Amino acid sequence: MKTICFTNTGYRYRLGSQVFRTLSLTLSEGHVYGLLGENGVGKSTLMKLAAGVLIPTAGSVTIEGHEASRREESAMAKLFYLPEEFSLPALSLDTYCRVTSPFYPTFSAEAYELCCKELDVVRDVRLDKLSMGQRKRALLAFAFATGAQWLLLDEPTNGLDVAAKEAFRRLVARYADEGRSVVISTHSVREIDSLVDHLIILDRKGVVLDASIAEIGTRLRFGRFSAEEHSKWHEEPLFAESTLAGTTGVTVNHSDEESAVDIEMLFMASLRSTERLRALFNTKNE
């Protein structure tokens, strides 16, 4: 199976604090992962370690068996990393594509044309002269066209308008349907609610939750509930808020029926009931 593996991975910035100590995590092919967590917990660091931009200070990170930090050509050709902030050369997108695409054996000119059309990309203006949103659309079009097994996207919808965000969601769904994997780190939780099939939530101790949407819906219940329901089970909700329609939130699912997952509520539950969530999903951090 094609995987990216973090094995007892640690990372400490030279002048900063420890980000990870012994993080263990496996990403598998054919999934759309949502990567969530508060600022500073290491979401971007995790992506940079996978892309070989950073070298772990403990443990290892491998891409399909290759050490990511060695940045071997065969491994890097399988991965495209789009950071939240980036600079681009004084080239048009078509020229950038012509120069860069040979590094990706799976690059498709047909997919490139389709992605540029879907995202309404400006192709004949120098990339460094484009607005942030235009540059983001341009690099996303190229990223999808690479056909890389792994797309690591850090806040990919920042700067995109509504139409471009909708096009982005269509392209992600199509990409994963072809057996490849996309990892999306974002604060815009609502924008990935119907897109991801697996969630990873981090905090400063490591992994809070690492589970498929199906598993989450089986173990947790989302939506309205009454005080009587919880007195029956002698437990507090993991997250609750009062609305005009009553009390809504996240509770343990005691029924045999799978619940529709609300990622925003789940993220709030991860902040309010972190250790309970770890216990429910048997998440272990050394």
Side-chain angles (χ1 to χ4, degrees), residues 74-96:
S74 59
M76 292 298 101
K78 298 176 181 179
L79 181 146
F80 189 92
Y81 166 53
L82 176 63
E84 181 179 4
E85 297 181 0
F86 54 86
S87 58
L88 289 171
L91 303 171
S92 70
L93 179 62
D94 282 347
T95 303
Y96 176 87

Side-chain angles (χ1 to χ4, degrees), residues 90-154:
L91 303 171
S92 70
L93 179 62
D94 282 347
T95 303
Y96 176 87
C97 176
R98 195 161 56 247
V99 170
T100 311
S101 60
F103 292 103
Y104 296 92
T106 51
F107 179 86
S108 166
E110 182 181 354
Y112 174 65
E113 293 289 337
L114 172 65
C115 294
C116 286
K117 183 177 180 180
E118 286 268 13
L119 290 163
D120 192 23
V121 169
V122 178
R123 297 167 56 176
D124 57 355
V125 177
R126 277 175 34 179
L127 292 168
D128 61 326
K129 298 295 185 182
L130 298 176
S131 68
M132 175 188 170
Q134 290 172 325
R135 284 186 286 121
K136 183 66 70 75
R137 290 201 300 255
L139 208 52
L140 279 170
F142 178 78
F144 287 116
T146 64
Q149 179 63 48
W150 305 95
L151 284 190
L152 309 181
L153 308 177
D154 196 353

Side-chain angles (χ1 to χ4, degrees), residues 1-6 25-29 33 62-66 149-150:
M1 180 180 287
K2 299 170 183 175
T3 59
I4 294 179
C5 293
F6 297 81
L25 188 66
T26 298
L27 306 177
S28 302
E29 61 184 312
Y33 290 93
T62 58
I63 305 171
E64 299 180 16
H66 300 270
Q149 179 63 48
W150 305 95

Side-chain angles (χ1 to χ4, degrees), residues 208-224:
V208 176
L209 179 144
D210 174 15
S212 69
I213 292 294
E215 182 184 359
I216 295 168
T218 300
R219 297 195 181 195
L220 300 176
R221 179 170 167 248
F222 299 80
R224 294 177 60 183

Side-chain angles (χ1 to χ4, degrees), residues 9 13 19-20 61 115 136 138 169-170 179 184 200-201 206 208 240:
T9 305
Y13 284 97
V19 182
F20 301 126
V61 182
C115 294
K136 183 66 70 75
R169 286 191 285 269
R170 288 196 300 271
I184 303 171
I200 298 167
I201 301 179
V208 176

Side-chain angles (χ1 to χ4, degrees), residues 32 51 57 82 139 147 161 179 197 208 271:
V32 179
T57 52
L82 176 63
L139 208 52
D161 59 24
D197 62 11
V208 176
L271 301 178

Side-chain angles (χ1 to χ4, degrees), residues 15-71:
L15 300 177
S17 60
Q18 186 88 30
V19 182
F20 301 126
R21 293 187 183 276
T22 54
L23 181 140
S24 292
L25 188 66
T26 298
L27 306 177
S28 302
E29 61 184 312
H31 291 288
V32 179
Y33 290 93
L35 180 61
L36 308 178
E38 292 187 287
N39 286 336
V41 299
K43 301 186 301 297
S44 295
T45 300
L46 184 143
M47 288 192 166
K48 290 175 182 177
L49 287 165
V53 177
L54 298 177
I55 300 173
T57 52
S60 65
V61 182
T62 58
I63 305 171
E64 299 180 16
H66 300 270
E67 286 284 345
S69 60
R70 296 182 64 178
R71 294 185 62 82

